[in-house]
Amino acid sequence: EVQLLEAGGGLVQPGGSMRVSCTVSGFSISDNYMSWVRQAPGKGLEWVAVIYSAGSTDFADSVKGRFTMSKDNSKNMLFLQMTDLRAEDSAHYYCASKYCSSGSCYFDHWGQGTLVIVSS
Amino acid sequence: SDVLTQPPSVSVAPGETATITCERDNIGAKSVHWYQQRPGQAPLLVISFDSDRPSGIPERFSGSNSGNTATLSISRVEAGDAADYYCQVWTFNSDHPGLFGTGTEVTVL
């Protein structure tokens, strides 16, 4: 059974940093593209970041230069390091696996999310 | 900026058909995927590649994509279909490869 379990959310002050993680079971992340998607309370979904199987990354413009994404294939874990956090970064952060074919990708497995609140 | 525009809300009576649109210039040239999100839950893929239904998704869910509009249709709507629905596209080698629609809340009357 595929499971994705996020951890590490909580309250952080504006300008602060936080790292959230995602532990994956049921498949190996080393061969898959993995993403973070966030959702501010009461708002829509926003794609945040992707890490490709070779380890390269891409980010949404809203977080570029502030967030980094990494993975530990041996532990089957993903990480999202967030710095210079702003109130608008407050959201549930979901990790998700991506399936890609014919030049397009969708998110086939999702975690339950971890809530990050940026507030003084 | 690049936006996938959906109607904020759609209301439908039980047994009728709900139609949710996702608009963007020439979206027909992209593959569109659709997600259902019930309150307090993670999104669930209901349609991939415009019209494919993943295993376990009822046949009542169908999709199409042409021109400037992609469409998710839910026939014979049930109370359990009440949820938010999002379209999504992916564009490699783009400044913002991952893009979700603005979301549509489906209310079952």
Side-chain angles (χ1 to χ4, degrees), chain B residues 35-104:
Chain B
Y35 302 86
Q36 175 194 71
Q37 187 180 31
R38 295 189 173 108
Q41 296 187 15
L44 172 70
L45 181 74
V46 293
I47 291 288
S48 65
F49 293 100
D50 298 338
S51 59
D52 292 343
R53 268 180 300 103
S55 174
I57 301 301
E59 291 183 6
R60 302 184 296 103
F61 288 79
S62 63
S64 63
N65 184 17
S66 179
N68 297 328
T69 305
T71 302
L72 172 69
S73 298
I74 312 171
S75 61
R76 303 183 302 281
V77 164
E78 303 173 356
D81 298 329
D84 293 329
Y85 292 83
Y86 296 90
C87 57
Q88 176 253 315
V89 299
W90 187 270
T91 307
F92 284 101
N93 302 315
S94 166
D95 287 341
H96 40 82
L99 187 62
F100 285 95
T102 51
T104 299

Side-chain angles (χ1 to χ4, degrees), chain A residues 101-120:
Chain A
S101 177
S102 303
S104 185
C105 304
Y106 60 77
F107 304 97
D108 53 353
H109 300 290
W110 298 70
Q112 284 304 303
T114 187
L115 180 60
V116 173
I117 300 174
V118 183
S119 175
S120 55

